[in-house]
Every structure is written in structure tokens, then in C-alpha cells.
Amino acid sequence: MNIDLSTCYLKRTLKNPLVVSACPLTGSIKSLQELEEAGASAVVLQSLFSEQIEHEEYESFRLHSFASDQSFESSSYFPELDRYNSGPEPHLEFLEGAKKAIHIPIIASLNGTSLGQWVKFARLYELAGADALELNIYFVSTNLATNGNEVEKRYLDIVSEVARNLSIPLAVKIGPYFSSLPHFAKNLVNAGADGLVLFNRYLDPEIDLERLSVQPHLELSQPSELRLVLRWIGILRDQLPCSLAATSGIHSASESLKALLAGANVTMMASTLLKNGPGHLAVILDELTHWLEAHQYRSVQELIGSLSRDRSEDALSFERGNYMKALVSYSSPKLNKPQAD
């Protein structure tokens, strides 16, 4: 059987639902070519962080402040403020090079917490050839005086302003920690998001007992992390007129298929490719195709959303209904061991 693997994401038809999310592999032309050869349908480039933009602005300001204390002639040795962007500039140059090296869609990524210069660099990414833009809004509220409405407004203001200044599709990558995620997701779409990426992985701190210090700690994702993603994609699938991307915990064809059944348009992966290399993508794609053939699906489109909340025979599994059942039915392996006489 000839399976149609194509899917639609951010108003584009992709050859299959396997997208590589922002990671070190998408920061090298060589690995981008390997990912394309292995079957990736699109890639998200490594993020440009707002801290990089702000650092560049500070350095530029510092140079000009120093120059203002010197003679007029010496100030001519310093770059013009609006052209001095060596921090973000390599990202733009890399994007231009990537567009020449591979033929699959390239999604640029901006990561930060406030509006700042995001609109400016979003436009620069578009001019450099990005097929779409992903806003990775990484904000953890720690202020007792900041309420939930203020946090959501911060997101919505960023999305609205960036979307208003772009003509390419815009995806927004968020975390799951909102009091009413469906309502907030709807507002993001109304603000201009063409797609949502669920979910951002917040990097939690670790405490070093020997140094008595807080250390940054990064762990690659685990397949178990997908369950939270499945829950919310299944709930949002039939309520929002936008693309949905599943990320976090997708390590094999099995996780990819589950996300598609819940309603994802694409499944994004990084950790499994960092562990196994870009070529592992071909293995996942082959396994996904074989599963579709074995279960007599003619296309990925036929699969997407067939087990979303509204289409599932057990809609309560996406909500609270199975909570008690799961807890009561759990049996510890230790409790099941036969007892000695």
C-alpha cells in the first residue's frame, strides 16, 4: 500500500510529520543536510535568545559611550549603532546558508521573556528567508505581586506585536502551567499565532551539596513526558483553528503515532537524535510507515486526531474521570510477590 505521509503545519504541506526541534543538530549545516537526507520534513533552527540581543545592545551602547568621551575623529572607528549586531548577525547568516544547503522548510526561533527587539529580529529572519518563525516564550513568574492575567498579557502582547509585523506563519511554544490552558490557547490564536508547540521544557535548578550552590541542570527528555502533551493536544485539537506540534518525549515511532492520534499535525524531536544521531530519523520514519501499513491507514491525515477528546470513545480519559481508577487499580510489584510461609 502506498501511504501518503504528508501533513499540513503552519500553512505548509510537509512530506511527513517528523520535524526536528531546535537543538545543536540544527546549528550545523552538515547535520542539517544529514537530517534532510534521513527524512526530516522541516527543522527548527537553534534559538536566538533575547539575552543575546540585549547583550549586543549593551555592548554597542558601551562602545558609543566610550567614544563620546574621545575626539570626533576617534569616534568614527566605532560601528553605527543600528548596524552593529554581531550577536544576532551569525544567526541570520547561518539561516541564509542553510536555505542554500537544504530544501525542506526552515523555521527560525526566538527565545525570551519580553518584547524588546523581537519584532526587529523577527522581520530580519523573514527577510533572510525563514519559512516560519517559532516564538519560544520562556517565562517563569516568581513575583508575588504578578497575577495570572499579567503573565498571560505579557505573552499575548509579544505574540500580537510580532504577528502584526510578519507575513510568514508564526508558531508559539509555551509551557503547560496556565490556570485555563484552553482559554489562553484560544487567546494566543486570536493574537496571531498560526500554531502552538506543546510543551516547553523548563530547566529546573539542581543544588550541589558539596559546593552549596545552585547549578543549572539539563537532562534529555524521557518518553514519559509525552503523556502531558497527549492530554492537552487531545483536548485542544477540535477546539482551535491552528496547527498543533507535539514536542517533549518523542523518541520513537510509537510516541509520534500517539501524538498524531491525539491530534498533533507534526511531532518534534531532538533528544533521541542527540543520543542516536541524525540517521535515527530514518529508522523512526520507516517504523511509522510500517505501522500505518499494518493498520491499513492510507494517509497520515486519516490518522491525525482520530483519538482526540471529542472523537474518542473514552473522552474522560483526557480529563479527570480516570484519575481515581488509575490510582485504585495500581498494584505495586512488591505487593504482588508471593509471601514465604
Side-chain angles (χ1 to χ4, degrees), residues 1 4 8 119 127 138 143 148 166 171 215 222 225 251 303 305:
M1 185 189 302
D4 180 4
C8 184
V119 172
L127 293 173
Y138 191 110
N143 191 331
L166 278 184
Q215 301 291 329
Q222 299 297 322
E225 296 177 37
H251 285 241
L303 180 75

Side-chain angles (χ1 to χ4, degrees), residues 283-335:
V283 176
I284 296 174
L285 185 59
D286 189 53
E287 291 175 351
L288 186 147
T289 303
H290 282 309
W291 188 94
L292 291 169
E293 290 175 343
H295 292 77
Q296 299 184 336
Y297 281 93
R298 292 166 296 181
S299 69
V300 164
Q301 289 295 331
E302 186 181 345
L303 180 75
I304 292 175
S306 57
L307 286 181
S308 67
R309 184 193 64 171
D310 289 358
R311 302 183 199 181
S312 174
E313 294 181 0
D314 186 14
L316 288 178
S317 61
F318 286 99
E319 301 174 13
R320 182 181 166 83
N322 284 351
Y323 177 68
M324 183 182 72
K325 180 180 177 182
L327 291 179
V328 172
S329 64
Y330 178 77
S331 180
S332 170
K334 292 184 179 181
L335 296 178

